[in-house]
Amino acid sequence: MTTLERSLVLVKPDGFKRGLSGEVLRRIEAKGYRLVALRILTPTREMLDAHYAEHAQKPFFPELVGFMASGPVTAIVIEGDQCIAGFRSLAGATDPTKALPGTIRGDLGRDWGMGSTENVVHGSDSPESAAREIGIWFPSL
Ligand code: IDP
Ligand code: MG
């Protein structure tokens, strides 16, 4: 028996701009996870400070928030048994240069020589993060 989970997935501004939202949704659905909610929005500074609170003291934080606020993102809540780890597997490693082929970041991402790591997607990393992040992006859920 495993636990039914929800995870917060973002198609980041690089992925949105490149028209990859559909491809990310396709991979989520092909894997068998259910789409629970979806919206397109340009995140506010307040949302990003909350979303990336664990990284507030990191040297890359200003570039990360600047990148994430640079345009629309597709925010998605997915559902399925073990979908948190399952989507992290689909996404691949944080660094798109090292992410394995077959993963979203490995297949669709690359280093663009920018200060921020543009890596197409975000996925929650634990049930606690998922609950917190879903509250930020989908207050009505
Ligand atoms: P994750 O997205 O794979 O969970 P985290 O370590 O939580 O990776 O970092 C959050 C985001 O911050 C990454 O997806 C990436 O966009 C950015 N990031 C992480 N590490 C670095 C770095 O060393 N330099 C620049 N950006 C980074
Ligand atoms: Mg993370």
Side-chain angles (χ1 to χ4, degrees):
M1 263 287 277
T2 54
T3 319
L4 188 64
E5 292 177 339
R6 286 184 173 187
S7 184
L8 187 274
V9 171
L10 301 174
V11 180
K12 295 183 177 186
D14 60 324
F16 184 90
K17 207 176 325 173
R18 293 172 57 214
L20 297 173
S21 298
E23 174 63 15
V24 171
L25 289 164
R26 188 193 67 75
R27 289 179 184 225
I28 289 167
E29 290 195 305
K31 180 76 171 172
Y33 299 137
R34 193 170 76 85
L35 304 180
V36 175
L38 187 149
R39 64 189 287 228
I40 294 166
L41 74 163
T42 300
T44 63
R45 175 75 204 215
E46 290 66 34
M47 291 171 74
L48 293 170
D49 282 348
H51 179 81
Y52 282 124
E54 63 171 312
H55 296 306
Q57 304 309 321
K58 305 271 174 68
F60 59 82
F61 184 73
E63 285 77 19
L64 173 59
V65 169
F67 158 55
M68 289 298 296
S70 67
V73 308
T74 303
I76 309 150
V77 177
I78 66 169
E79 187 175 78
D81 290 80
Q82 301 205 69
C83 73
I84 294 171
F87 181 79
R88 299 274 297 181
S89 255
L90 288 184
T94 304
D95 178 347
T97 299
K98 295 182 183 146
L100 293 176
T103 66
I104 292 169
R105 289 162 168 174
D107 287 348
L108 309 176
R110 53 162 282 195
D111 188 338
W112 297 94
M114 309 299 280
S116 56
T117 299
E118 304 196 354
N119 55 9
V120 189
V121 287
H122 164 84
S124 305
D125 65 6
S126 68
E128 296 71 32
S129 302
R132 191 178 63 77
E133 293 171 1
I134 290 168
I136 295 167
W137 296 86
F138 293 90
S140 62
L141 280 186

